[in-house]
Each structure stands twice: as structure tokens, then as C-alpha cells.
Coordinates of all heavy atoms in Angstrom, one line a residue:
M1 N 152.3 80.3 20.6 CA 152.7 81.5 19.9 C 152.7 82.7 20.9 O 153.6 83.5 20.7 CB 151.7 81.7 18.8 CG 152.0 82.8 17.9 SD 153.5 82.4 16.8 CE 153.1 83.2 15.4
P2 N 151.7 82.9 21.8 CA 151.8 84.1 22.6 C 153.1 84.3 23.4 O 153.6 85.3 23.6 CB 150.6 83.9 23.6 CG 149.7 83.0 22.9 CD 150.5 82.1 22.0
S3 N 153.7 83.1 23.8 CA 155.0 83.3 24.5 C 156.1 83.8 23.6 O 157.0 84.5 24.0 CB 155.4 81.9 25.2 OG 155.6 81.0 24.2
D4 N 156.1 83.4 22.3 CA 157.0 83.9 21.4 C 156.9 85.4 21.2 O 157.9 86.1 21.2 CB 156.9 83.3 20.0 CG 157.2 81.8 20.0 OD1 158.0 81.4 20.9 OD2 156.7 81.1 19.1
L5 N 155.7 85.9 21.1 CA 155.4 87.3 21.0 C 155.8 88.0 22.3 O 156.5 89.1 22.3 CB 153.9 87.6 20.7 CG 153.5 89.0 20.5 CD1 154.3 89.6 19.4 CD2 152.1 89.1 20.2
A6 N 155.5 87.4 23.4 CA 155.9 88.0 24.7 C 157.5 88.1 24.9 O 158.0 89.1 25.3 CB 155.3 87.2 25.9
D7 N 158.1 87.0 24.4 CA 159.6 87.0 24.4 C 160.2 88.1 23.5 O 161.1 88.8 23.9 CB 160.1 85.6 24.0 CG 159.8 84.5 25.0 OD1 159.5 84.9 26.2 OD2 159.9 83.4 24.6
E8 N 159.6 88.3 22.3 CA 160.1 89.3 21.4 C 159.9 90.7 22.0 O 160.7 91.5 22.0 CB 159.3 89.2 20.1 CG 159.8 90.2 19.1 CD 159.1 90.0 17.7 OE1 158.6 88.9 17.4 OE2 158.9 91.1 17.1
H9 N 158.7 90.9 22.6 CA 158.4 92.2 23.3 C 159.4 92.5 24.4 O 160.0 93.6 24.5 CB 157.0 92.2 23.8 CG 156.6 93.4 24.6 ND1 156.2 94.6 24.0 CD2 156.6 93.6 25.9 CE1 156.0 95.5 24.9 NE2 156.2 94.9 26.1
E10 N 159.7 91.5 25.2 CA 160.6 91.7 26.3 C 162.0 92.0 25.8 O 162.7 92.8 26.3 CB 160.7 90.4 27.2 CG 161.6 90.5 28.3 CD 161.3 91.5 29.4 OE1 160.1 91.9 29.5 OE2 162.1 91.9 30.2
A11 N 162.5 91.3 24.7 CA 163.8 91.5 24.2 C 163.9 92.9 23.6 O 164.9 93.6 23.8 CB 164.1 90.5 23.1
I12 N 162.9 93.4 22.9 CA 163.0 94.7 22.4 C 163.0 95.8 23.5 O 163.7 96.8 23.4 CB 161.8 95.0 21.4 CG1 162.0 94.1 20.1 CG2 161.6 96.5 21.0 CD1 160.8 94.1 19.2
R13 N 162.2 95.6 24.5 CA 162.2 96.5 25.6 C 163.4 96.5 26.5 O 163.8 97.6 27.1 CB 161.0 96.3 26.5 CG 159.7 96.4 25.8 CD 159.4 97.9 25.6 NE 158.1 98.1 25.0 CZ 157.8 99.1 24.2 NH1 158.6 100.0 24.0 NH2 156.6 99.2 23.7
T14 N 164.1 95.4 26.6 CA 165.2 95.4 27.5 C 166.6 95.3 26.8 O 167.6 95.5 27.5 CB 165.1 94.1 28.4 OG1 165.1 92.9 27.6 CG2 163.9 94.2 29.3
R15 N 166.7 95.0 25.5 CA 167.9 94.9 24.8 C 167.9 95.8 23.6 O 168.2 97.0 23.7 CB 168.2 93.4 24.5 CG 168.5 92.6 25.8 CD 169.0 91.2 25.5 NE 168.0 90.3 24.9 CZ 167.0 89.7 25.6 NH1 166.9 89.8 26.9 NH2 166.2 88.9 25.0
A16 N 167.6 95.2 22.4 CA 167.6 96.0 21.2 C 166.6 95.3 20.2 O 166.3 94.2 20.3 CB 169.0 96.1 20.6
G17 N 166.2 96.1 19.3 CA 165.3 95.6 18.2 C 165.6 96.2 16.9 O 166.2 97.3 16.8
L18 N 165.3 95.5 15.9 CA 165.5 95.9 14.5 C 164.2 95.9 13.8 O 163.4 94.9 13.9 CB 166.5 95.0 13.8 CG 166.8 95.3 12.3 CD1 167.6 96.6 12.2 CD2 167.7 94.2 11.8
M19 N 163.8 97.0 13.1 CA 162.5 97.1 12.5 C 162.7 97.7 11.1 O 163.4 98.7 10.9 CB 161.6 98.0 13.4 CG 160.2 98.1 12.9 SD 159.3 99.0 14.1 CE 158.5 100.2 13.0
D20 N 162.0 97.1 10.1 CA 162.0 97.7 8.8 C 161.0 98.8 8.7 O 159.8 98.6 8.9 CB 161.6 96.6 7.8 CG 161.4 97.1 6.4 OD1 161.8 98.2 6.1 OD2 161.0 96.3 5.5
V21 N 161.4 100.0 8.5 CA 160.5 101.2 8.5 C 160.2 101.7 7.1 O 159.6 102.7 6.9 CB 161.1 102.3 9.4 CG1 161.2 101.9 10.8 CG2 162.4 102.8 8.8
S22 N 160.6 100.9 6.1 CA 160.4 101.4 4.7 C 159.0 101.5 4.3 O 158.6 102.2 3.4 CB 161.2 100.5 3.7 OG 160.6 99.1 3.8
G23 N 158.1 100.8 5.0 CA 156.7 100.9 4.7 C 155.9 102.0 5.4 O 154.7 102.2 5.2
L24 N 156.6 102.7 6.2 CA 155.9 103.8 6.9 C 155.6 105.0 6.0 O 156.3 105.2 5.0 CB 156.8 104.4 8.1 CG 157.1 103.3 9.2 CD1 158.0 104.0 10.2 CD2 155.8 102.8 9.8
K25 N 154.6 105.7 6.3 CA 154.2 106.8 5.4 C 155.0 108.1 5.8 O 155.3 108.3 7.0 CB 152.7 107.1 5.7 CG 151.8 105.9 5.2 CD 150.3 106.2 5.5 CE 149.5 105.1 5.1 NZ 148.1 105.3 5.5
K26 N 155.2 108.9 4.8 CA 156.0 110.1 5.0 C 155.1 111.3 4.5 O 154.6 111.3 3.3 CB 157.3 110.1 4.3 CG 158.2 109.0 4.8 CD 159.1 108.4 3.8 CE 159.8 107.2 4.2 NZ 159.0 106.0 4.0
V27 N 155.0 112.3 5.3 CA 154.2 113.5 4.9 C 155.2 114.7 5.0 O 155.8 114.9 6.0 CB 153.0 113.7 5.8 CG1 152.3 115.0 5.4 CG2 152.1 112.5 5.7
H28 N 155.3 115.5 4.0 CA 156.2 116.7 4.0 C 155.3 118.0 4.1 O 154.3 118.2 3.4 CB 157.0 116.8 2.7 CG 157.9 115.7 2.5 ND1 159.2 115.8 2.9 CD2 157.8 114.4 2.0 CE1 159.9 114.6 2.7 NE2 159.0 113.8 2.1
Y29 N 155.7 118.8 5.1 CA 155.1 120.1 5.3 C 156.1 121.1 4.9 O 157.2 121.2 5.5 CB 154.7 120.3 6.8 CG 153.5 119.6 7.2 CD1 153.5 118.5 8.0 CD2 152.2 120.2 7.0 CE1 152.4 117.9 8.4 CE2 151.1 119.6 7.4 CZ 151.1 118.4 8.2 OH 150.0 117.8 8.6
V30 N 155.8 121.9 3.9 CA 156.8 122.9 3.5 C 156.1 124.2 3.2 O 155.0 124.3 2.6 CB 157.5 122.5 2.2 CG1 158.5 123.5 1.7 CG2 158.2 121.1 2.4
G31 N 156.7 125.3 3.7 CA 156.1 126.6 3.4 C 156.1 127.5 4.7 O 156.4 127.0 5.8
P32 N 155.7 128.7 4.5 CA 155.8 129.7 5.6 C 154.9 129.3 6.8 O 155.1 129.8 8.0 CB 155.3 131.0 5.0 CG 154.6 130.6 3.8 CD 155.2 129.3 3.3
H33 N 153.9 128.5 6.6 CA 153.0 128.1 7.7 C 153.2 126.7 8.2 O 152.5 126.2 9.1 CB 151.5 128.3 7.3 CG 151.2 129.7 6.9 ND1 151.1 130.8 7.8 CD2 151.0 130.3 5.7 CE1 150.9 131.9 7.2 NE2 150.8 131.6 5.9
A34 N 154.2 126.0 7.7 CA 154.5 124.7 8.1 C 154.7 124.5 9.6 O 154.2 123.6 10.2 CB 155.7 124.1 7.3
E35 N 155.5 125.4 10.2 CA 155.8 125.4 11.6 C 154.5 125.4 12.4 O 154.4 124.7 13.4 CB 156.8 126.4 12.0 CG 157.2 126.3 13.4 CD 158.3 127.3 13.8 OE1 158.6 128.3 13.0 OE2 158.9 127.1 14.8
S36 N 153.6 126.3 12.0 CA 152.4 126.5 12.8 C 151.5 125.2 12.8 O 150.7 125.0 13.8 CB 151.6 127.7 12.3 OG 151.0 127.4 11.1
L37 N 151.6 124.4 11.8 CA 150.9 123.1 11.8 C 151.3 122.1 12.8 O 150.6 121.3 13.3 CB 150.9 122.5 10.4 CG 150.2 123.2 9.3 CD1 150.6 122.6 7.9 CD2 148.7 123.2 9.5
L38 N 152.6 122.2 13.1 CA 153.2 121.2 14.1 C 153.7 121.8 15.4 O 153.8 121.0 16.4 CB 154.4 120.5 13.4 CG 154.1 119.7 12.1 CD1 155.3 119.3 11.4 CD2 153.2 118.5 12.4
E39 N 153.9 123.1 15.4 CA 154.4 123.7 16.6 C 153.6 123.6 17.8 O 154.1 123.5 18.9 CB 154.7 125.2 16.3 CG 155.5 125.9 17.4 CD 156.9 125.4 17.5 OE1 157.4 124.9 16.5 OE2 157.5 125.6 18.5
Y40 N 152.3 123.5 17.6 CA 151.4 123.4 18.8 C 151.6 122.1 19.6 O 151.3 122.0 20.7 CB 149.9 123.5 18.4 CG 149.4 122.3 17.6 CD1 148.9 121.2 18.2 CD2 149.6 122.2 16.2 CE1 148.4 120.1 17.5 CE2 149.2 121.1 15.5 CZ 148.6 120.0 16.1 OH 148.2 118.9 15.4
A41 N 152.2 121.1 18.9 CA 152.4 119.8 19.6 C 153.8 119.7 20.2 O 153.9 119.2 21.3 CB 152.2 118.7 18.6
T42 N 154.8 120.2 19.6 CA 156.2 120.0 20.1 C 157.1 121.0 19.4 O 156.9 121.5 18.3 CB 156.6 118.5 19.8 OG1 157.9 118.3 20.4 CG2 156.7 118.2 18.3
K43 N 158.2 121.2 20.1 CA 159.2 122.1 19.5 C 160.3 121.3 18.9 O 160.9 120.4 19.5 CB 159.8 123.0 20.6 CG 160.9 124.0 20.2 CD 160.3 125.1 19.4 CE 161.3 126.1 19.1 NZ 160.8 127.1 18.1
V44 N 160.6 121.5 17.6 CA 161.6 120.8 16.9 C 162.6 121.8 16.2 O 162.1 122.7 15.5 CB 161.0 119.9 15.8 CG1 162.1 119.1 15.1 CG2 160.0 119.0 16.3
Y45 N 163.8 121.8 16.6 CA 164.8 122.7 16.0 C 165.3 122.2 14.7 O 165.4 121.0 14.4 CB 166.0 122.9 17.0 CG 165.5 123.5 18.3 CD1 165.2 122.6 19.4 CD2 165.3 124.8 18.4 CE1 164.8 123.2 20.6 CE2 164.9 125.4 19.6 CZ 164.6 124.6 20.7 OH 164.2 125.1 21.9
P46 N 165.7 123.1 13.8 CA 166.2 122.7 12.5 C 167.4 121.7 12.6 O 168.2 121.8 13.5 CB 166.8 124.0 11.9 CG 165.9 125.0 12.5 CD 165.7 124.6 13.9
G47 N 167.3 120.6 11.8 CA 168.3 119.6 11.8 C 168.0 118.5 12.9 O 168.8 117.6 13.0
K48 N 167.0 118.6 13.6 CA 166.6 117.7 14.7 C 165.4 116.9 14.4 O 164.6 117.3 13.5 CB 166.5 118.4 16.1 CG 167.7 119.2 16.5 CD 168.9 118.3 16.8 CE 170.1 119.0 17.3 NZ 171.2 118.2 17.6
S49 N 165.1 115.9 15.2 CA 163.8 115.2 15.1 C 163.3 114.9 16.5 O 164.1 115.0 17.5 CB 164.1 113.9 14.3 OG 165.0 113.0 15.0
V50 N 162.1 114.5 16.6 CA 161.4 114.2 17.9 C 160.4 113.1 17.6 O 159.7 113.0 16.6 CB 160.8 115.4 18.5 CG1 159.6 116.0 17.7 CG2 160.4 115.2 19.9
Y51 N 160.4 112.2 18.6 CA 159.3 111.1 18.6 C 158.1 111.7 19.3 O 158.2 112.3 20.3 CB 159.8 109.9 19.3 CG 158.8 108.8 19.5 CD1 158.5 108.0 18.4 CD2 158.1 108.6 20.7 CE1 157.5 107.0 18.5 CE2 157.2 107.6 20.8 CZ 156.9 106.8 19.7 OH 155.9 105.8 19.8
A52 N 156.9 111.5 18.7 CA 155.7 112.1 19.2 C 154.5 111.1 19.0 O 154.6 110.2 18.3 CB 155.5 113.4 18.5
T53 N 153.4 111.5 19.6 CA 152.2 110.7 19.4 C 151.2 111.7 18.7 O 151.2 112.9 19.0 CB 151.6 110.2 20.7 OG1 151.4 111.2 21.6 CG2 152.6 109.2 21.3
M54 N 150.3 111.1 18.0 CA 149.2 111.9 17.4 C 147.9 111.6 18.1 O 147.6 110.4 18.3 CB 149.0 111.5 15.9 CG 150.2 111.7 15.0 SD 149.9 111.0 13.4 CE 150.8 112.0 12.4
L55 N 147.2 112.6 18.5 CA 146.0 112.4 19.3 C 144.9 113.1 18.5 O 145.1 114.1 17.8 CB 146.1 113.1 20.6 CG 147.3 112.7 21.5 CD1 147.3 113.5 22.8 CD2 147.2 111.2 21.8
N56 N 143.7 112.5 18.6 CA 142.5 113.1 17.9 C 142.0 114.2 18.8 O 142.5 114.5 19.8 CB 141.5 112.0 17.6 CG 140.8 111.4 18.8 OD1 140.9 111.9 19.9 ND2 140.2 110.3 18.6
E57 N 140.9 114.8 18.3 CA 140.3 115.9 19.0 C 139.8 115.6 20.4 O 139.8 116.5 21.3 CB 139.1 116.5 18.2 CG 139.5 117.1 16.8 CD 139.7 116.1 15.8 OE1 139.4 114.9 15.9 OE2 140.4 116.4 14.7
A58 N 139.6 114.3 20.7 CA 139.1 113.9 22.0 C 140.3 113.5 22.9 O 140.1 113.1 24.0 CB 138.2 112.7 21.9
G59 N 141.5 113.7 22.4 CA 142.7 113.3 23.1 C 143.1 111.8 23.1 O 143.9 111.4 23.9
K60 N 142.5 111.1 22.2 CA 142.7 109.6 22.1 C 143.9 109.4 21.2 O 144.0 110.1 20.1 CB 141.5 108.9 21.6 CG 140.2 109.1 22.5 CD 140.3 108.2 23.7 CE 139.0 108.4 24.4 NZ 138.9 107.7 25.6
F61 N 144.7 108.4 21.5 CA 145.8 108.0 20.6 C 145.4 107.6 19.2 O 144.4 106.8 19.1 CB 146.6 106.8 21.3 CG 147.8 106.4 20.5 CD1 149.0 107.0 20.6 CD2 147.6 105.3 19.6 CE1 150.1 106.6 19.9 CE2 148.7 104.8 18.9 CZ 149.9 105.5 19.0
V62 N 146.0 108.1 18.2 CA 145.7 107.8 16.8 C 146.9 107.0 16.2 O 146.8 106.0 15.6 CB 145.4 109.0 16.0 CG1 145.3 108.7 14.5 CG2 144.2 109.7 16.5
D63 N 148.1 107.6 16.4 CA 149.3 107.0 15.8 C 150.5 107.6 16.5 O 150.4 108.6 17.1 CB 149.3 107.3 14.3 CG 150.1 106.4 13.4 OD1 150.8 105.5 14.0 OD2 150.0 106.5 12.2
D64 N 151.7 106.9 16.3 CA 152.9 107.5 16.7 C 153.7 108.0 15.5 O 153.3 107.6 14.4 CB 153.7 106.6 17.6 CG 154.2 105.3 16.9 OD1 153.6 105.0 15.9 OD2 155.1 104.7 17.4
C65 N 154.6 108.9 15.7 CA 155.3 109.4 14.6 C 156.7 110.0 15.0 O 157.0 110.1 16.2 CB 154.5 110.6 13.9 SG 154.3 112.0 15.0
V66 N 157.5 110.2 14.0 CA 158.8 110.9 14.2 C 158.7 112.2 13.3 O 158.3 112.1 12.1 CB 160.0 110.1 13.8 CG1 161.3 110.9 13.9 CG2 160.1 108.8 14.6
I67 N 158.9 113.4 13.9 CA 158.9 114.6 13.2 C 160.3 115.1 13.0 O 161.0 115.2 13.9 CB 158.1 115.7 14.0 CG1 156.6 115.2 14.3 CG2 158.1 117.0 13.2 CD1 155.9 116.1 15.2
Y68 N 160.7 115.3 11.7 CA 162.0 115.8 11.4 C 161.8 117.2 10.9 O 161.0 117.5 10.1 CB 162.6 115.0 10.2 CG 162.8 113.5 10.5 CD1 161.8 112.6 10.3 CD2 164.0 113.1 11.0 CE1 162.0 111.2 10.6 CE2 164.2 111.7 11.3 CZ 163.2 110.8 11.1 OH 163.4 109.5 11.3
R69 N 162.7 118.1 11.4 CA 162.7 119.5 10.9 C 163.9 119.5 9.9 O 165.0 119.5 10.3 CB 162.9 120.5 12.0 CG 162.7 121.9 11.5 CD 162.4 122.9 12.5 NE 162.0 124.1 12.0 CZ 161.6 125.1 12.7 NH1 161.5 125.0 14.0 NH2 161.3 126.3 12.1
T70 N 163.5 119.6 8.6 CA 164.6 119.5 7.6 C 165.0 120.9 7.1 O 166.0 121.0 6.3 CB 164.1 118.7 6.4 OG1 162.8 119.3 5.9 CG2 163.8 117.3 6.8
G71 N 164.4 122.0 7.6 CA 164.8 123.3 7.2 C 164.0 124.3 8.0 O 163.1 123.9 8.8
P72 N 164.2 125.6 7.8 CA 163.5 126.6 8.6 C 161.9 126.5 8.4 O 161.2 126.7 9.4 CB 163.9 128.0 8.0 CG 165.1 127.7 7.2 CD 165.1 126.2 6.8
N73 N 161.5 126.2 7.2 CA 160.0 126.1 7.0 C 159.7 124.7 6.4 O 158.8 124.6 5.5 CB 159.5 127.2 6.1 CG 159.7 128.5 6.7 OD1 159.3 128.7 7.8 ND2 160.2 129.5 6.0
A74 N 160.4 123.7 6.8 CA 160.2 122.3 6.2 C 160.3 121.2 7.3 O 161.2 121.2 8.1 CB 161.2 122.1 5.1
F75 N 159.3 120.4 7.2 CA 159.2 119.3 8.1 C 158.8 118.0 7.4 O 158.2 118.1 6.3 CB 158.1 119.5 9.2 CG 158.3 120.7 10.1 CD1 158.0 122.0 9.6 CD2 158.9 120.5 11.3 CE1 158.2 123.0 10.5 CE2 159.1 121.6 12.2 CZ 158.7 122.9 11.7
M76 N 159.2 116.8 7.9 CA 158.8 115.6 7.4 C 158.2 114.8 8.6 O 158.9 114.7 9.6 CB 159.9 114.8 6.7 CG 159.4 113.4 6.2 SD 160.6 112.5 5.3 CE 161.9 112.2 6.5
V77 N 157.0 114.3 8.5 CA 156.4 113.5 9.5 C 156.3 112.1 9.0 O 155.8 111.8 8.0 CB 155.0 114.0 9.9 CG1 154.4 113.2 11.0 CG2 155.0 115.5 10.3
V78 N 157.0 111.1 9.7 CA 157.0 109.7 9.4 C 156.1 109.0 10.4 O 156.3 109.1 11.6 CB 158.4 109.1 9.4 CG1 158.4 107.7 9.0 CG2 159.3 109.9 8.4
H79 N 155.1 108.3 9.9 CA 154.1 107.6 10.8 C 153.7 106.3 10.3 O 154.0 105.9 9.1 CB 152.9 108.5 11.0 CG 152.1 108.8 9.8 ND1 151.1 108.1 9.4 CD2 152.3 109.7 8.8 CE1 150.6 108.5 8.3 NE2 151.3 109.5 7.9
G80 N 153.0 105.5 11.1 CA 152.6 104.2 10.7 C 151.4 104.2 9.8 O 151.0 105.1 9.1
S81 N 150.7 103.1 9.9 CA 149.6 102.8 9.0 C 148.2 103.2 9.6 O 147.2 103.0 9.0 CB 149.5 101.3 8.6 OG 149.3 100.6 9.8
G82 N 148.2 103.9 10.7 CA 147.0 104.4 11.3 C 146.3 105.5 10.6 O 146.7 105.8 9.4
S83 N 145.4 106.1 11.1 CA 144.7 107.2 10.4 C 145.4 108.6 10.6 O 144.8 109.6 10.3 CB 143.2 107.3 11.0 OG 143.3 107.6 12.4
G84 N 146.7 108.5 10.9 CA 147.4 109.7 11.1 C 147.6 110.5 9.8 O 147.5 111.8 9.8
H85 N 147.7 109.9 8.7 CA 147.8 110.6 7.4 C 146.6 111.5 7.2 O 146.7 112.6 6.8 CB 148.0 109.6 6.2 CG 148.1 110.3 4.9 ND1 149.3 110.9 4.5 CD2 147.2 110.4 3.9 CE1 149.1 111.4 3.3 NE2 147.9 111.1 2.9
E86 N 145.4 110.9 7.3 CA 144.2 111.7 7.1 C 144.1 112.9 8.1 O 143.7 114.0 7.7 CB 143.0 110.8 7.3 CG 142.8 109.8 6.2 CD 143.7 108.6 6.4 OE1 144.2 108.3 7.5 OE2 143.9 107.8 5.4
M87 N 144.6 112.7 9.3 CA 144.6 113.7 10.3 C 145.6 114.8 9.9 O 145.2 116.0 10.0 CB 145.0 113.1 11.6 CG 144.7 113.9 12.8 SD 145.0 112.9 14.3 CE 146.2 113.9 15.1
L88 N 146.7 114.5 9.4 CA 147.7 115.5 9.0 C 147.2 116.3 7.8 O 147.4 117.5 7.7 CB 149.0 114.8 8.6 CG 149.8 114.2 9.8 CD1 150.9 113.3 9.3 CD2 150.4 115.3 10.7
V89 N 146.6 115.6 6.8 CA 146.0 116.3 5.6 C 144.9 117.2 6.1 O 144.9 118.4 5.6 CB 145.5 115.2 4.6 CG1 144.7 115.9 3.5 CG2 146.6 114.4 4.0
R90 N 144.0 116.8 6.9 CA 142.9 117.7 7.4 C 143.5 118.9 8.1 O 143.0 120.0 7.9 CB 142.0 117.0 8.4 CG 140.9 116.2 7.8 CD 139.8 115.8 8.8 NE 140.3 115.4 10.1 CZ 140.6 114.1 10.4 NH1 140.5 113.2 9.4 NH2 141.0 113.8 11.6
S91 N 144.6 118.8 8.9 CA 145.1 119.9 9.6 C 145.8 121.0 8.6 O 145.9 122.1 8.9 CB 146.2 119.5 10.6 OG 147.4 119.1 10.0
A92 N 146.2 120.5 7.4 CA 146.8 121.4 6.5 C 145.9 122.0 5.5 O 146.2 123.0 4.9 CB 147.9 120.6 5.7
Q93 N 144.7 121.5 5.4 CA 143.7 122.1 4.4 C 143.3 123.5 4.8 O 143.1 123.8 5.9 CB 142.4 121.2 4.4 CG 142.7 119.9 3.7 CD 141.5 119.0 3.7 OE1 140.6 119.1 4.6 NE2 141.4 118.0 2.8
G94 N 143.3 124.3 3.7 CA 143.0 125.7 3.9 C 144.1 126.6 4.5 O 143.8 127.8 4.8
R95 N 145.3 126.1 4.6 CA 146.4 126.9 5.2 C 147.4 127.1 4.1 O 147.6 126.3 3.2 CB 147.0 126.2 6.4 CG 146.0 126.1 7.5 CD 146.7 125.5 8.7 NE 145.7 125.4 9.8 CZ 146.0 125.3 11.0 NH1 147.3 125.3 11.4 NH2 145.1 125.2 11.9

């Protein structure tokens, strides 16, 4: 089995891969302060998206994500099943 996984990894890295992303979590940030919640990490222009990583307070990897800027004050963050959702919710509390 490990060689099958290694072969799949090599194929995705060197050729192409297909992945079902329908199970990924989506978080919407909307409002006048939405940009300030994400801007510290990366610059995303309206109508564009960026692949990014989520790090905890200690700088350790938590999850990867794609940040879409859907409007002047609107973003959608799509991420995996890690603890990224809780991190995003905590960052928005009180704002």
C-alpha cells in the first residue's frame, strides 16, 4: 500500500490531480472590518483569490486555505477539516 500512496503523491506533484473539494468548510467574512481580519496575512484584490496557510499564535501550521475576495468588504475562506474554523471564528469575535 505505501508504494501506491507514493505513486499517487508523485503523480499529483509532477502531472495533475483531481480532488473533490465539496467537503471543505467555507467561512464568509462580510462587513466593514472584514478586510482587517484577513489583511494582516495576505493582500487579496476584489475578484481574486489566494492560496494561503493558517498558522497558530506560535507560528505552527494549522490548516491550508483559499481566500476569495468576493467584494469590497466580503471574503470567503475555504479550508480543510483542521482547527482552522475555530481559529477563524475566534479572530472575528468582538469585531
Side-chain angles (χ1 to χ4, degrees):
M1 189 72 145
S3 65
D4 292 337
L5 184 57
D7 291 343
E8 182 179 330
H9 175 80
E10 180 66 21
I12 289 172
R13 295 289 185 207
T14 60
R15 292 187 292 277
L18 180 63
M19 184 175 130
D20 177 9
V21 296
S22 61
L24 297 179
K25 297 178 181 176
K26 296 150 194 84
V27 177
H28 294 267
Y29 283 101
V30 179
H33 301 290
E35 185 173 14
S36 68
L37 292 170
L38 300 169
E39 189 67 22
Y40 69 92
T42 187
K43 181 71 173 170
V44 184
Y45 297 97
K48 301 293 184 181
S49 63
V50 65
Y51 175 76
T53 58
M54 299 171 148
L55 306 176
N56 66 15
E57 294 79 15
K60 303 281 184 184
F61 178 85
V62 173
D63 205 350
D64 61 341
C65 65
V66 178
I67 303 170
Y68 298 89
R69 188 160 190 178
T70 57
N73 294 314
F75 297 82
M76 179 175 65
V77 181
V78 179
H79 62 94
S81 59
S83 60
H85 180 76
E86 292 78 19
M87 199 169 120
L88 290 168
V89 169
R90 272 196 318 273
S91 73
Q93 289 176 335
R95 296 185 181 199

